[in-house]
Amino acid sequence: MRVGVLTGGRDCPGLNAVVRAVVRKGVQEYGLEFVGFVDGWRGPLEGETVPLDIPAVRGTLPRGGTILGSSRTDPLRQPDGVRRIRDNLAKHEVGALITIGGRDTLGTAARLAADHGLPCVAVPKTIDNDVPGTDCTLGFDTAVGVATEAIDRLHTTAESHKRVLVVEVMGGETGWIALRSGLAGGANVVLIPEQPFDVDQVCAWVTSRFRASYAPIVVVADGAVPRDGSVAPGPWPGYAAGGARLSGVGDWLAGEIERRTGKEARTTVLGHVQRGGSPSAFDRWLATRFGLHAVDAVHEGDFGTMVALRGTDIVRVPLAEATGPLKTVDPWLYAEAGVFFG
């Protein structure tokens, strides 16, 4: 059998490690052939491929980004997208497709599998960690590590200048990166999308820290919003997937803190640095295991499934689970962090 592999959506560390594991085990143990589709769903849509064999994946375990390229192309938005994918899979004699992606990419795979019978096996990746059905997604641990290191570094400059430093991290509609890195980095306030915040309360926490002769760090997820609705993320016209392009709440919040408390405030927006660079040791381990189990599912013909982390086990769940409600931060999990605020 020839198997196609694609990496869709936004990039994250560890994608190449998945591809490497898929190819290594598929070739060595099952005698499979592989072809890489470039730039996410654009590859099978346009029939654009690259060779994918053991030499092609050699040395890619620590490499960030994706050797296959990525995009936010949605073939289901094309009137003849399904037909074109079928034709191109047949043209390249591809009998199965391993899709590595986040909610959008996996949602497309789920619909193609359920509604059109395409033989898909999925691997969940996103730094946002918002895919249901898995305890952790690929790329999340690396993003948390990058954010934590940044917070560690900012403590010293905050203390040196007696400033409030607001750190804006990614996360989309969820606060997993903010909560995990904020706790690990010793932030004094963590704000997440799941819990709209009170600006006056944030300012009270900031003032409290200064009374204790301590310059505070405020970590805010890019999708977080104030309770009074005075600022909110919104869709940007022309954005590829039609979703909201987030960023800006950090600058707005720093301005409000400075205006209301009289304390100097500055913002650091980590942005895409959280996506780049080499994957952490955990993400290399997770990516490798995801890849090994994904190719097992292909070999066994268990299509329409997604590999997932449950505890320390890699299991298979119905791919439809990836299209369920967002995996958000539980209120109790956020509440237990509140002891460190202020």
Side-chain angles (χ1 to χ4, degrees):
M1 180 191 294
R2 178 174 292 173
V3 180
V5 183
L6 66 83
T7 55
R10 302 177 181 95
D11 70 301
C12 74
L15 293 172
N16 293 319
V18 178
V19 177
R20 169 181 174 269
V22 163
V23 173
R24 285 286 298 271
K25 185 168 188 178
V27 171
Q28 293 175 192
E29 295 198 12
Y30 300 135
L32 299 173
E33 295 181 5
F34 292 90
V35 60
F37 285 104
V38 302
D39 299 341
W41 286 111
R42 189 182 74 80
L45 193 64
E46 303 294 340
E48 191 169 345
T49 66
V50 293
L52 199 55
D53 53 17
I54 288 179
V57 299
R58 187 168 292 134
T60 59
L61 178 64
R63 183 172 169 181
T66 165
I67 61 174
L68 299 179
S70 192
S71 74
R72 292 177 62 80
T73 302
D74 184 354
L76 297 177
R77 290 174 177 259
Q78 306 288 332
D80 60 345
V82 176
R83 178 194 60 79
R84 289 164 62 185
I85 288 177
R86 284 190 183 279
D87 289 348
N88 286 318
L89 292 182
K91 175 183 175 181
H92 292 282
E93 299 179 326
V94 171
L97 192 60
I98 294 178
T99 59
I100 309 164
R103 284 175 51 83
D104 291 340
T105 301
L106 301 185
T108 298
R111 289 184 59 187
L112 290 172
D115 299 341
H116 304 283
L118 265 67
C120 296
V121 171
V123 174
K125 69 85 192 166
T126 170
I127 67 169
D128 298 338
N129 196 37
D130 60 3
V131 175
T134 181
D135 289 351
C136 188
T137 54
L138 180 64
F140 171 63
D141 183 75
T142 304
V144 169
V146 170
T148 301
E149 182 180 359
I151 295 166
D152 285 346
R153 291 176 179 274
L154 290 170
H155 274 292
T156 56
T157 192
E159 285 297 300
S160 297
H161 295 278
K162 300 298 186 290
R163 290 172 175 162
V164 183
L165 288 186
V166 177
V167 185
E168 182 184 294
V169 300
M170 286 181 165
E173 298 176 65
T174 64
W176 290 108
I177 296 175
L179 182 61
R180 188 77 64 90
S181 65
L183 278 177
N188 308 109
V189 181
V190 177
L191 306 174
I192 64 175
E194 294 89 340
Q195 300 284 335
F197 59 88
D198 184 326
V199 181
D200 287 333
Q201 178 63 73
V202 172
C203 291
W205 284 328
V206 165
T207 302
S208 171
R209 296 313 294 171
F210 276 112
R211 282 200 298 266
S213 300
Y214 191 89
I217 300 284
V218 177
V219 174
V220 57
D222 56 6
V225 293
R227 194 175 299 159
D228 62 8
S230 52
V231 65
W236 287 31
Y239 192 44
R245 185 171 183 176
L246 305 178
S247 188
V249 67
D251 282 330
W252 177 87
L253 182 59
E256 288 296 305
I257 291 172
E258 189 165 300
R259 182 176 68 84
R260 299 187 190 201
T261 68
K263 300 295 185 181
E264 188 177 8
R266 293 289 185 272
T267 305
T268 298
V269 180
L270 296 185
H272 288 82
V273 70
Q274 296 159 94
R275 299 188 179 282
S278 296
S280 65
F282 179 86
D283 273 334
R284 298 183 198 190
W285 170 85
L286 183 61
T288 299
R289 295 192 69 201
F290 273 168
L292 297 176
H293 284 260
V295 81
D296 286 343
V298 167
H299 176 69
E300 295 169 17
D302 193 7
F303 301 121
T305 59
M306 178 182 77
V307 294
L309 180 68
R310 297 280 178 85
T312 58
D313 296 329
I314 304 296
V315 300
R316 297 176 201 165
V317 300
L319 183 47
E321 286 198 24
T323 64
L326 282 172
K327 187 181 72 178
T328 55
V329 175
D330 290 325
W332 64 266
L333 194 59
Y334 183 67
E336 74 177 17
V339 68
F340 299 104
F341 298 173

